Amino acid sequence: MLLCGPSGSGKSLLAARSGLPVLRLDDFYKEGDDPTLPLVAGSSDIDWDHPGSWDADTAVAAIVELCRTGRTKIPVYDLSLSARTGEEAVDLGPTPLFIAEGIFAAEIVTRCRELGVLADALCLSRGPVRTFRRRFLRDLREGRKSVPFLLRRGWRLMRLERSIVARQTALGAHACDKDEALTRLGAAASHRPTATPAA
């Protein structure tokens, strides 16, 4: 199960509530000294919301290995340091289904589908203002970046939220609120197909 949505939309909380094992796709960010990191247009800020700031190939390889063997090793990433600080093993045990969640999950929908490992892809949406508030308070509490950076990023993402959701749905994720997402997660866990509402 791929779970995407704008930063601050509640993906991690929803994934935790599902009761399914969770793969944090944020652990596949590139490190802060990587010369390929994109910048925000007209700024010296690194654009951590651009897919180019993320290692999609390594993330897909981990997902495929988890689907096929039930275990893999993943990097441990510290967002405040913009660096990988170690490695950890993930073991699904007997559970055949897990959630891979992160803001870039939609970027790998097609690849996961073609590789035969995709059960469903969901895009969580809560609305720009609500998401802005939740994201800022979370990032401030966790000390992810400096306050000026968080404010600049938050304002930019609030203005872009509708286009972010539109892009993620165009990439193959189904836009929904948390209640519908939990229903679809439950259906996938019990191997019951769910109908996608007409657009």
Side-chain angles (χ1 to χ4, degrees):
M1 298 287 299
L2 292 175
L3 179 61
C4 62
S7 174
S9 58
K11 298 179 295 299
S12 298
L13 182 60
L14 179 71
R17 284 185 60 189
S18 74
L20 293 169
V22 178
L23 177 67
R24 300 179 310 271
L25 295 179
D26 282 357
D27 283 325
F28 297 92
Y29 267 114
K30 295 177 181 177
E31 298 197 83
D33 59 356
D34 190 313
T36 67
L37 284 169
L39 299 179
V40 176
S43 167
S44 60
D45 288 341
I46 294 172
D47 189 351
W48 296 108
D49 300 286
H50 188 287
S53 67
W54 186 66
D55 187 349
D57 292 339
T58 304
V60 169
I63 288 170
V64 170
E65 188 171 20
L66 269 178
C67 288
R68 294 183 177 162
T69 71
R71 59 182 59 87
T72 192
K73 289 186 178 180
I74 64 168
V76 175
Y77 195 92
D78 188 321
L79 292 171
S80 66
L81 299 175
S82 303
R84 295 180 179 182
T85 58
E87 186 178 72
E88 69 179 4
V90 176
D91 192 329
L92 297 180
T95 307
L97 187 72
F98 67 96
I99 297 174
E101 66 90 4
I103 62 173
F104 301 123
E107 303 295 325
I108 57 175
V109 168
T110 298
R111 290 172 67 176
C112 288
R113 182 178 292 119
E114 290 173 348
L115 289 165
V117 297
L118 182 66
D120 201 356
L122 306 177
C123 173
L124 196 60
S125 178
R126 300 164 65 98
V129 175
R130 189 175 179 190
T131 302
F132 170 87
R133 181 178 181 278
R134 186 181 185 282
R135 176 177 52 240
F136 180 73
L137 292 176
R138 177 204 65 192
D139 292 352
L140 191 63
R141 181 177 65 251
E142 297 178 3
R144 292 189 172 193
K145 305 292 179 190
S146 70
V147 172
F149 179 91
L150 293 178
L151 287 171
R152 291 194 302 272
R153 176 179 182 248
W155 175 248
R156 178 170 52 86
L157 291 180
M158 185 174 70
R159 289 180 294 145
L160 292 174
E161 178 152 335
R162 289 185 175 86
S163 64
I164 291 170
V165 171
R167 172 180 168 79
Q168 293 181 350
T169 54
L171 288 170
H174 172 70
C176 57
D177 61 18
K178 63 181 178 63
D179 292 332
E180 184 183 353
L182 284 169
T183 297
R184 291 175 72 102
L185 289 169
S190 59
H191 307 289
R192 296 192 309 267
T194 55
T196 301

mmCIF file of all heavy atoms in Angstrom, residues 113-148:
data_model
loop_
_atom_site.group_PDB
_atom_site.id
_atom_site.type_symbol
_atom_site.label_atom_id
_atom_site.label_comp_id
_atom_site.label_asym_id
_atom_site.label_seq_id
_atom_site.Cartn_x
_atom_site.Cartn_y
_atom_site.Cartn_z
ATOM 1 N N ARG A 113 3.407 -0.866 -9.570
ATOM 2 C CA ARG A 113 2.359 -1.620 -10.276
ATOM 3 C C ARG A 113 2.986 -2.536 -11.331
ATOM 4 O O ARG A 113 2.619 -3.707 -11.449
ATOM 5 C CB ARG A 113 1.368 -0.658 -10.925
ATOM 6 C CG ARG A 113 0.217 -1.372 -11.643
ATOM 7 C CD ARG A 113 -0.773 -0.397 -12.222
ATOM 8 N NE ARG A 113 -1.501 0.311 -11.177
ATOM 9 C CZ ARG A 113 -1.474 1.630 -11.013
ATOM 10 N NH1 ARG A 113 -0.742 2.396 -11.809
ATOM 11 N NH2 ARG A 113 -2.175 2.189 -10.052
ATOM 12 N N GLU A 114 3.932 -2.001 -12.089
ATOM 13 C CA GLU A 114 4.579 -2.804 -13.132
ATOM 14 C C GLU A 114 5.368 -3.968 -12.552
ATOM 15 O O GLU A 114 5.502 -5.023 -13.187
ATOM 16 C CB GLU A 114 5.491 -1.913 -13.978
ATOM 17 C CG GLU A 114 4.723 -0.930 -14.862
ATOM 18 C CD GLU A 114 5.631 0.065 -15.571
ATOM 19 O OE1 GLU A 114 6.837 0.145 -15.191
ATOM 20 O OE2 GLU A 114 5.147 0.765 -16.478
ATOM 21 N N LEU A 115 5.890 -3.786 -11.341
ATOM 22 C CA LEU A 115 6.657 -4.841 -10.678
ATOM 23 C C LEU A 115 5.755 -5.844 -9.952
ATOM 24 O O LEU A 115 6.240 -6.826 -9.388
ATOM 25 C CB LEU A 115 7.645 -4.223 -9.687
ATOM 26 C CG LEU A 115 8.826 -3.474 -10.326
ATOM 27 C CD1 LEU A 115 9.526 -2.586 -9.296
ATOM 28 C CD2 LEU A 115 9.809 -4.463 -10.937
ATOM 29 N N GLY A 116 4.454 -5.583 -9.967
ATOM 30 C CA GLY A 116 3.500 -6.507 -9.381
ATOM 31 C C GLY A 116 3.440 -6.502 -7.863
ATOM 32 O O GLY A 116 3.052 -7.500 -7.256
ATOM 33 N N VAL A 117 3.806 -5.372 -7.241
ATOM 34 C CA VAL A 117 3.843 -5.333 -5.773
ATOM 35 C C VAL A 117 2.864 -4.310 -5.181
ATOM 36 O O VAL A 117 2.883 -4.081 -3.972
ATOM 37 C CB VAL A 117 5.275 -5.035 -5.259
ATOM 38 C CG1 VAL A 117 6.225 -6.150 -5.661
ATOM 39 C CG2 VAL A 117 5.776 -3.679 -5.756
ATOM 40 N N LEU A 118 1.987 -3.727 -6.007
ATOM 41 C CA LEU A 118 1.102 -2.669 -5.526
ATOM 42 C C LEU A 118 -0.295 -3.203 -5.211
ATOM 43 O O LEU A 118 -0.950 -3.791 -6.076
ATOM 44 C CB LEU A 118 0.991 -1.549 -6.573
ATOM 45 C CG LEU A 118 0.122 -0.350 -6.182
ATOM 46 C CD1 LEU A 118 0.754 0.404 -5.013
ATOM 47 C CD2 LEU A 118 -0.064 0.592 -7.373
ATOM 48 N N ALA A 119 -0.757 -2.992 -3.973
ATOM 49 C CA ALA A 119 -2.120 -3.354 -3.592
ATOM 50 C C ALA A 119 -3.072 -2.176 -3.826
ATOM 51 O O ALA A 119 -4.179 -2.346 -4.311
ATOM 52 C CB ALA A 119 -2.164 -3.789 -2.129
ATOM 53 N N ASP A 120 -2.641 -0.965 -3.477
ATOM 54 C CA ASP A 120 -3.460 0.235 -3.636
ATOM 55 C C ASP A 120 -2.544 1.439 -3.438
ATOM 56 O O ASP A 120 -1.452 1.321 -2.867
ATOM 57 C CB ASP A 120 -4.603 0.259 -2.612
ATOM 58 C CG ASP A 120 -5.762 1.170 -3.018
ATOM 59 O OD1 ASP A 120 -5.648 1.845 -4.063
ATOM 60 O OD2 ASP A 120 -6.776 1.203 -2.291
ATOM 61 N N ALA A 121 -2.978 2.602 -3.910
ATOM 62 C CA ALA A 121 -2.226 3.842 -3.728
ATOM 63 C C ALA A 121 -3.210 4.939 -3.345
ATOM 64 O O ALA A 121 -4.166 5.206 -4.083
ATOM 65 C CB ALA A 121 -1.473 4.218 -5.005
ATOM 66 N N LEU A 122 -2.983 5.567 -2.204
ATOM 67 C CA LEU A 122 -3.900 6.562 -1.669
ATOM 68 C C LEU A 122 -3.201 7.894 -1.462
ATOM 69 O O LEU A 122 -2.029 7.930 -1.071
ATOM 70 C CB LEU A 122 -4.472 6.086 -0.329
ATOM 71 C CG LEU A 122 -5.132 4.703 -0.315
ATOM 72 C CD1 LEU A 122 -5.571 4.348 1.096
ATOM 73 C CD2 LEU A 122 -6.300 4.654 -1.275
ATOM 74 N N CYS A 123 -3.932 8.968 -1.708
ATOM 75 C CA CYS A 123 -3.432 10.326 -1.474
ATOM 76 C C CYS A 123 -4.314 10.977 -0.418
ATOM 77 O O CYS A 123 -5.493 11.247 -0.663
ATOM 78 C CB CYS A 123 -3.461 11.132 -2.773
ATOM 79 S SG CYS A 123 -3.053 12.881 -2.547
ATOM 80 N N LEU A 124 -3.754 11.234 0.753
ATOM 81 C CA LEU A 124 -4.508 11.814 1.858
ATOM 82 C C LEU A 124 -4.547 13.332 1.714
ATOM 83 O O LEU A 124 -3.519 13.971 1.491
ATOM 84 C CB LEU A 124 -3.851 11.422 3.177
ATOM 85 C CG LEU A 124 -4.664 11.606 4.453
ATOM 86 C CD1 LEU A 124 -5.944 10.778 4.393
ATOM 87 C CD2 LEU A 124 -3.829 11.222 5.662
ATOM 88 N N SER A 125 -5.744 13.907 1.833
ATOM 89 C CA SER A 125 -5.902 15.354 1.683
ATOM 90 C C SER A 125 -6.777 15.903 2.802
ATOM 91 O O SER A 125 -7.837 15.346 3.094
ATOM 92 C CB SER A 125 -6.535 15.663 0.322
ATOM 93 O OG SER A 125 -6.735 17.043 0.158
ATOM 94 N N ARG A 126 -6.332 17.005 3.440
ATOM 95 C CA ARG A 126 -7.063 17.593 4.571
ATOM 96 C C ARG A 126 -7.434 19.053 4.340
ATOM 97 O O ARG A 126 -8.164 19.629 5.130
ATOM 98 C CB ARG A 126 -6.208 17.503 5.842
ATOM 99 C CG ARG A 126 -5.842 16.109 6.252
ATOM 100 C CD ARG A 126 -4.698 16.097 7.251
ATOM 101 N NE ARG A 126 -5.040 16.706 8.511
ATOM 102 C CZ ARG A 126 -5.422 16.026 9.590
ATOM 103 N NH1 ARG A 126 -5.502 14.717 9.538
ATOM 104 N NH2 ARG A 126 -5.699 16.632 10.711
ATOM 105 N N GLY A 127 -6.919 19.691 3.293
ATOM 106 C CA GLY A 127 -7.167 21.110 3.066
ATOM 107 C C GLY A 127 -5.945 21.939 3.415
ATOM 108 O O GLY A 127 -5.272 21.657 4.409
ATOM 109 N N PRO A 128 -5.620 22.969 2.611
ATOM 110 C CA PRO A 128 -4.370 23.724 2.760
ATOM 111 C C PRO A 128 -4.137 24.365 4.129
ATOM 112 O O PRO A 128 -3.042 24.267 4.675
ATOM 113 C CB PRO A 128 -4.476 24.797 1.666
ATOM 114 C CG PRO A 128 -5.419 24.226 0.665
ATOM 115 C CD PRO A 128 -6.400 23.404 1.438
ATOM 116 N N VAL A 129 -5.147 25.031 4.699
ATOM 117 C CA VAL A 129 -4.944 25.740 5.966
ATOM 118 C C VAL A 129 -4.727 24.756 7.112
ATOM 119 O O VAL A 129 -3.809 24.916 7.929
ATOM 120 C CB VAL A 129 -6.147 26.671 6.267
ATOM 121 C CG1 VAL A 129 -5.984 27.309 7.646
ATOM 122 C CG2 VAL A 129 -6.264 27.752 5.194
ATOM 123 N N ARG A 130 -5.557 23.735 7.170
ATOM 124 C CA ARG A 130 -5.425 22.732 8.227
ATOM 125 C C ARG A 130 -4.082 22.013 8.128
ATOM 126 O O ARG A 130 -3.412 21.760 9.132
ATOM 127 C CB ARG A 130 -6.577 21.732 8.110
ATOM 128 C CG ARG A 130 -6.678 20.777 9.280
ATOM 129 C CD ARG A 130 -7.908 19.909 9.125
ATOM 130 N NE ARG A 130 -8.021 18.957 10.212
ATOM 131 C CZ ARG A 130 -8.887 17.967 10.235
ATOM 132 N NH1 ARG A 130 -9.716 17.798 9.216
ATOM 133 N NH2 ARG A 130 -8.925 17.140 11.258
ATOM 134 N N THR A 131 -3.678 21.711 6.902
ATOM 135 C CA THR A 131 -2.401 21.028 6.702
ATOM 136 C C THR A 131 -1.236 21.926 7.097
ATOM 137 O O THR A 131 -0.271 21.474 7.717
ATOM 138 C CB THR A 131 -2.243 20.579 5.236
ATOM 139 O OG1 THR A 131 -3.334 19.715 4.902
ATOM 140 C CG2 THR A 131 -0.937 19.839 5.014
ATOM 141 N N PHE A 132 -1.319 23.219 6.741
ATOM 142 C CA PHE A 132 -0.260 24.171 7.103
ATOM 143 C C PHE A 132 -0.048 24.189 8.618
ATOM 144 O O PHE A 132 1.090 24.088 9.099
ATOM 145 C CB PHE A 132 -0.624 25.576 6.619
ATOM 146 C CG PHE A 132 0.288 26.648 7.150
ATOM 147 C CD1 PHE A 132 1.463 26.965 6.492
ATOM 148 C CD2 PHE A 132 -0.012 27.334 8.327
ATOM 149 C CE1 PHE A 132 2.323 27.956 6.987
ATOM 150 C CE2 PHE A 132 0.832 28.303 8.828
ATOM 151 C CZ PHE A 132 2.000 28.611 8.151
ATOM 152 N N ARG A 133 -1.133 24.318 9.354
ATOM 153 C CA ARG A 133 -1.037 24.406 10.813
ATOM 154 C C ARG A 133 -0.446 23.119 11.391
ATOM 155 O O ARG A 133 0.469 23.170 12.218
ATOM 156 C CB ARG A 133 -2.421 24.667 11.410
ATOM 157 C CG ARG A 133 -2.431 24.798 12.924
ATOM 158 C CD ARG A 133 -3.834 25.114 13.436
ATOM 159 N NE ARG A 133 -3.834 25.261 14.889
ATOM 160 C CZ ARG A 133 -3.889 24.256 15.749
ATOM 161 N NH1 ARG A 133 -3.922 23.009 15.300
ATOM 162 N NH2 ARG A 133 -3.877 24.476 17.054
ATOM 163 N N ARG A 134 -0.958 21.989 10.938
ATOM 164 C CA ARG A 134 -0.487 20.714 11.474
ATOM 165 C C ARG A 134 0.999 20.489 11.139
ATOM 166 O O ARG A 134 1.778 20.058 11.969
ATOM 167 C CB ARG A 134 -1.331 19.573 10.897
ATOM 168 C CG ARG A 134 -1.019 18.223 11.505
ATOM 169 C CD ARG A 134 -1.871 17.116 10.887
ATOM 170 N NE ARG A 134 -1.634 15.865 11.570
ATOM 171 C CZ ARG A 134 -0.575 15.107 11.373
ATOM 172 N NH1 ARG A 134 0.345 15.474 10.495
ATOM 173 N NH2 ARG A 134 -0.409 13.975 12.039
ATOM 174 N N ARG A 135 1.380 20.812 9.908
ATOM 175 C CA ARG A 135 2.765 20.619 9.473
ATOM 176 C C ARG A 135 3.720 21.507 10.264
ATOM 177 O O ARG A 135 4.768 21.048 10.727
ATOM 178 C CB ARG A 135 2.876 20.917 7.973
ATOM 179 C CG ARG A 135 4.295 20.842 7.417
ATOM 180 C CD ARG A 135 4.301 21.084 5.916
ATOM 181 N NE ARG A 135 3.612 22.308 5.553
ATOM 182 C CZ ARG A 135 2.533 22.352 4.752
ATOM 183 N NH1 ARG A 135 2.031 21.266 4.229
ATOM 184 N NH2 ARG A 135 1.958 23.512 4.461
ATOM 185 N N PHE A 136 3.354 22.790 10.426
ATOM 186 C CA PHE A 136 4.245 23.715 11.116
ATOM 187 C C PHE A 136 4.446 23.307 12.574
ATOM 188 O O PHE A 136 5.579 23.285 13.079
ATOM 189 C CB PHE A 136 3.704 25.141 11.031
ATOM 190 C CG PHE A 136 4.569 26.148 11.731
ATOM 191 C CD1 PHE A 136 5.788 26.524 11.186
ATOM 192 C CD2 PHE A 136 4.186 26.686 12.946
ATOM 193 C CE1 PHE A 136 6.613 27.439 11.837
ATOM 194 C CE2 PHE A 136 4.996 27.596 13.601
ATOM 195 C CZ PHE A 136 6.213 27.968 13.052
ATOM 196 N N LEU A 137 3.354 22.987 13.267
ATOM 197 C CA LEU A 137 3.467 22.597 14.675
ATOM 198 C C LEU A 137 4.274 21.311 14.835
ATOM 199 O O LEU A 137 5.091 21.184 15.753
ATOM 200 C CB LEU A 137 2.073 22.427 15.278
ATOM 201 C CG LEU A 137 1.258 23.724 15.428
ATOM 202 C CD1 LEU A 137 -0.136 23.417 15.942
ATOM 203 C CD2 LEU A 137 1.977 24.716 16.332
ATOM 204 N N ARG A 138 4.069 20.349 13.936
ATOM 205 C CA ARG A 138 4.841 19.103 13.989
ATOM 206 C C ARG A 138 6.321 19.352 13.756
ATOM 207 O O ARG A 138 7.179 18.892 14.522
ATOM 208 C CB ARG A 138 4.313 18.127 12.925
ATOM 209 C CG ARG A 138 5.087 16.816 12.826
ATOM 210 C CD ARG A 138 4.933 16.188 11.451
ATOM 211 N NE ARG A 138 5.525 17.007 10.407
ATOM 212 C CZ ARG A 138 5.331 16.803 9.098
ATOM 213 N NH1 ARG A 138 4.529 15.833 8.703
ATOM 214 N NH2 ARG A 138 5.921 17.579 8.203
ATOM 215 N N ASP A 139 6.635 20.104 12.694
ATOM 216 C CA ASP A 139 8.041 20.344 12.357
ATOM 217 C C ASP A 139 8.742 21.172 13.428
ATOM 218 O O ASP A 139 9.927 20.973 13.715
ATOM 219 C CB ASP A 139 8.144 21.028 10.993
ATOM 220 C CG ASP A 139 7.728 20.123 9.846
ATOM 221 O OD1 ASP A 139 7.505 18.912 10.090
ATOM 222 O OD2 ASP A 139 7.613 20.611 8.713
ATOM 223 N N LEU A 140 8.004 22.108 14.026
ATOM 224 C CA LEU A 140 8.567 22.923 15.109
ATOM 225 C C LEU A 140 8.841 22.045 16.329
ATOM 226 O O LEU A 140 9.919 22.117 16.939
ATOM 227 C CB LEU A 140 7.582 24.039 15.462
ATOM 228 C CG LEU A 140 8.092 25.148 16.373
ATOM 229 C CD1 LEU A 140 9.229 25.918 15.704
ATOM 230 C CD2 LEU A 140 6.939 26.099 16.721
ATOM 231 N N ARG A 141 7.884 21.208 16.673
ATOM 232 C CA ARG A 141 8.025 20.313 17.831
ATOM 233 C C ARG A 141 9.201 19.357 17.660
ATOM 234 O O ARG A 141 9.944 19.076 18.598
ATOM 235 C CB ARG A 141 6.730 19.524 18.018
ATOM 236 C CG ARG A 141 6.726 18.568 19.206
ATOM 237 C CD ARG A 141 5.384 17.889 19.374
ATOM 238 N NE ARG A 141 5.063 17.009 18.264
ATOM 239 C CZ ARG A 141 4.127 17.240 17.351
ATOM 240 N NH1 ARG A 141 3.414 18.338 17.409
ATOM 241 N NH2 ARG A 141 3.895 16.380 16.385
ATOM 242 N N GLU A 142 9.387 18.857 16.430
ATOM 243 C CA GLU A 142 10.443 17.879 16.167
ATOM 244 C C GLU A 142 11.776 18.519 15.798
ATOM 245 O O GLU A 142 12.771 17.814 15.614
ATOM 246 C CB GLU A 142 9.993 16.929 15.055
ATOM 247 C CG GLU A 142 8.766 16.099 15.449
ATOM 248 C CD GLU A 142 8.294 15.182 14.340
ATOM 249 O OE1 GLU A 142 8.953 15.133 13.272
ATOM 250 O OE2 GLU A 142 7.267 14.504 14.533
ATOM 251 N N GLY A 143 11.809 19.854 15.698
ATOM 252 C CA GLY A 143 13.050 20.550 15.378
ATOM 253 C C GLY A 143 13.624 20.155 14.043
ATOM 254 O O GLY A 143 14.843 20.039 13.883
ATOM 255 N N ARG A 144 12.750 19.974 13.048
ATOM 256 C CA ARG A 144 13.213 19.446 11.760
ATOM 257 C C ARG A 144 14.141 20.413 11.023
ATOM 258 O O ARG A 144 15.130 20.002 10.437
ATOM 259 C CB ARG A 144 12.015 19.092 10.878
ATOM 260 C CG ARG A 144 11.215 17.906 11.406
ATOM 261 C CD ARG A 144 10.192 17.442 10.413
ATOM 262 N NE ARG A 144 9.555 16.197 10.844
ATOM 263 C CZ ARG A 144 8.801 15.445 10.054
ATOM 264 N NH1 ARG A 144 8.600 15.808 8.798
ATOM 265 N NH2 ARG A 144 8.259 14.335 10.517
ATOM 266 N N LYS A 145 13.783 21.700 11.038
ATOM 267 C CA LYS A 145 14.604 22.736 10.390
ATOM 268 C C LYS A 145 14.440 24.019 11.186
ATOM 269 O O LYS A 145 13.686 24.076 12.162
ATOM 270 C CB LYS A 145 14.154 22.972 8.932
ATOM 271 C CG LYS A 145 14.129 21.724 8.038
ATOM 272 C CD LYS A 145 15.516 21.181 7.742
ATOM 273 C CE LYS A 145 15.408 19.919 6.855
ATOM 274 N NZ LYS A 145 16.686 19.225 6.748
ATOM 275 N N SER A 146 15.127 25.093 10.754
ATOM 276 C CA SER A 146 15.006 26.372 11.454
ATOM 277 C C SER A 146 13.601 26.951 11.272
ATOM 278 O O SER A 146 12.911 26.654 10.293
ATOM 279 C CB SER A 146 16.039 27.368 10.920
ATOM 280 O OG SER A 146 15.705 27.763 9.598
ATOM 281 N N VAL A 147 13.182 27.817 12.218
ATOM 282 C CA VAL A 147 11.847 28.414 12.146
ATOM 283 C C VAL A 147 11.657 29.233 10.860
ATOM 284 O O VAL A 147 10.625 29.090 10.190
ATOM 285 C CB VAL A 147 11.568 29.271 13.397
ATOM 286 C CG1 VAL A 147 10.257 30.048 13.232
ATOM 287 C CG2 VAL A 147 11.504 28.393 14.642
ATOM 288 N N PRO A 148 12.616 30.095 10.461
ATOM 289 C CA PRO A 148 12.411 30.834 9.203
ATOM 290 C C PRO A 148 12.230 29.904 8.000
ATOM 291 O O PRO A 148 11.381 30.157 7.137
ATOM 292 C CB PRO A 148 13.693 31.670 9.066
ATOM 293 C CG PRO A 148 14.172 31.838 10.468
ATOM 294 C CD PRO A 148 13.844 30.539 11.152
#
